[in-house]
């Protein structure tokens, strides 16, 4: 079983400031890690994913995240945010199955609402 | 561009009514999912399917049922809606491989009065 904790329910920042959204997970098996973004009245859209290899992964819209196995974290960062980044962000984890197959049963965190002020 | 479609987007219905939330995808994905999302809460998996005639209950117990008669279609049904069913329901699909992300529909916001 897996669990995900997003440490901040809301993060207000000013435009062009850097931002970090924190995510910690627990799992008894190796995992795949994801960040999704949800704009108002829409479904979730994949920002980036970590499957294997380099621990720093880059996604869309200038976001990146770093997988830290020892700290079981997968924090999301952006060096300079825009008003359009205002949305809710979800961290998610799925356990690796036999042979490295992901079964897609994601466990989501509670979400972090990022509000970018002008 | 959405390749997974949910209808209706919004539904307000009285207690005791039977409802079906529609979900269709055009990507040929084998895996499909229904998540329930309440404000300020994480998404909870309520149903999933790995292919035609395959359905399983998710991590969160739900009074709803699903069917998967065709690959592209994964409807969710509530036989008798109650106010406790008020929530947003998100449908998703994914391919078979490990690096295949979930594609989400825009959701159905259900209100039961």
């Amino acid at each position: 079983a897996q669990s995900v904790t997003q440490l901040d329910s809301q993060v207000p920042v000013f435009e062009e400031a850097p931002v970090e959204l924190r995510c910690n997970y627990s799992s008894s098996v190796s995992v795949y890690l994801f960040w999704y973004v949800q704009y108002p009245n829409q479904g979730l859209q994949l920002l980036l994913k970590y499957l294997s290899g380099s621990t720093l992964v880059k996604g869309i819209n200038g976001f990146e995240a770093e997988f830290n196995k020892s700290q079981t974290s997968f924090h999301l960062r952006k060096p300079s945010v825009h008003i359009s980044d205002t949305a809710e962000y979800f961290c998610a984890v799925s356990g690796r199955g036999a042979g490295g197959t992901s079964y897609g049963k994601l466990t989501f965190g509670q979400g972090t609402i990022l509000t970018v002020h002008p | 561009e959405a390749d997974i479609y949910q209808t209706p987007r919004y539904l307000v219905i009285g207690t005791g009514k039977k409802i079906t939330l529609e979900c269709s995808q055009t990507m040929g994905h084998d895996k499909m999912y229904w998540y329930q999302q309440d404000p300020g809460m994480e998404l909870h998996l309520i149903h999933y399917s790995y292919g035609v005639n395959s359905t399983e209950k998710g991590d969160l117990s739900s009074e709803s049922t699903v069917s998967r008669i065709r690959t592209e279609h994964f409807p969710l049904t509530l036989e008798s809606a109650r106010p406790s069913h008020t929530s947003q329901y998100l449908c998703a699909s994914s391919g078979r491989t490990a690096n295949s992300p979930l594609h989400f529909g825009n959701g159905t916001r259900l209100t039961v009065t």
Side-chain angles (χ1 to χ4, degrees):
Chain A
Q2 298 86 37
S3 68
V4 179
T5 301
Q6 291 183 240
L7 299 167
D8 306 293
S9 59
Q10 297 192 48
V11 174
V13 294
F14 287 106
E15 195 172 19
E16 298 183 6
V19 71
E20 178 180 80
L21 307 184
R22 296 178 294 167
C23 172
N24 287 98
Y25 69 93
S26 67
S27 176
S28 55
V29 299
S30 298
V31 297
Y32 299 114
L33 294 157
F34 306 83
W35 275 98
Y36 284 83
V37 59
Q38 185 178 32
Y39 299 103
N41 299 316
Q42 294 186 24
L44 277 70
Q45 177 183 0
L46 180 70
L47 264 182
L48 48 78
K49 59 189 177 188
Y50 171 78
L51 304 179
S52 66
S54 173
T55 57
L56 181 65
V57 291
K58 294 187 182 298
I60 62 172
N61 301 338
F63 284 93
E64 62 181 32
E66 185 159 19
F67 169 54
N68 188 318
K69 187 175 181 179
S70 62
Q71 296 187 3
T72 60
S73 68
F74 190 54
H75 300 333
L76 181 71
R77 302 185 184 100
K78 186 170 183 178
S80 176
V81 295
H82 301 288
I83 297 287
S84 59
D85 292 324
T86 295
E88 188 162 17
Y89 292 79
F90 291 91
C91 182
V93 62
S94 69
R96 292 175 185 258
T101 301
S102 169
Y103 295 105
K105 290 175 61 182
L106 295 184
T107 299
F108 285 88
Q110 300 91 333
T112 297
I113 297 174
L114 173 65
T115 304
V116 181
H117 298 284
Chain B
E1 183 180 339
D3 296 316
I4 181 164
Y5 306 94
Q6 289 187 243
T7 57
R9 285 296 310 277
Y10 303 93
L11 179 61
V12 181
I13 201 162
T15 298
K17 299 292 185 182
K18 178 180 178 180
I19 59 169
T20 296
L21 307 185
E22 301 289 346
C23 176
S24 295
Q25 50 97 3
T26 58
M27 296 169 283
H29 286 164
D30 288 325
K31 300 178 189 174
M32 296 190 74
Y33 315 84
W34 276 102
Y35 284 87
Q36 185 172 338
Q37 182 183 26
D38 294 313
M41 305 289 287
E42 63 262 45
L43 282 75
H44 290 288
L45 181 67
I46 52 175
H47 298 284
Y48 63 97
S49 168
Y50 288 158
V52 171
N53 295 325
S54 155
T55 61
E56 301 286 344
K57 289 197 176 291
D59 305 320
L60 180 68
S61 176
S62 173
E63 296 171 345
S64 58
T65 59
V66 293
S67 62
R68 190 86 183 276
I69 300 173
R70 303 197 314 267
T71 298
E72 62 271 22
H73 196 213
F74 192 41
L76 181 146
T77 298
L78 276 166
E79 290 293 333
S80 179
R82 294 192 280 114
S84 60
H85 296 138
T86 295
S87 188
Q88 172 152 263
Y89 294 84
L90 291 170
C91 182
S93 70
S94 69
R96 295 182 182 181
T97 60
N99 60 4
S100 178
L102 264 63
H103 293 256
F104 283 86
N106 285 331
T108 293
R109 188 169 296 279
L110 173 66
T111 302
V112 183
T113 60

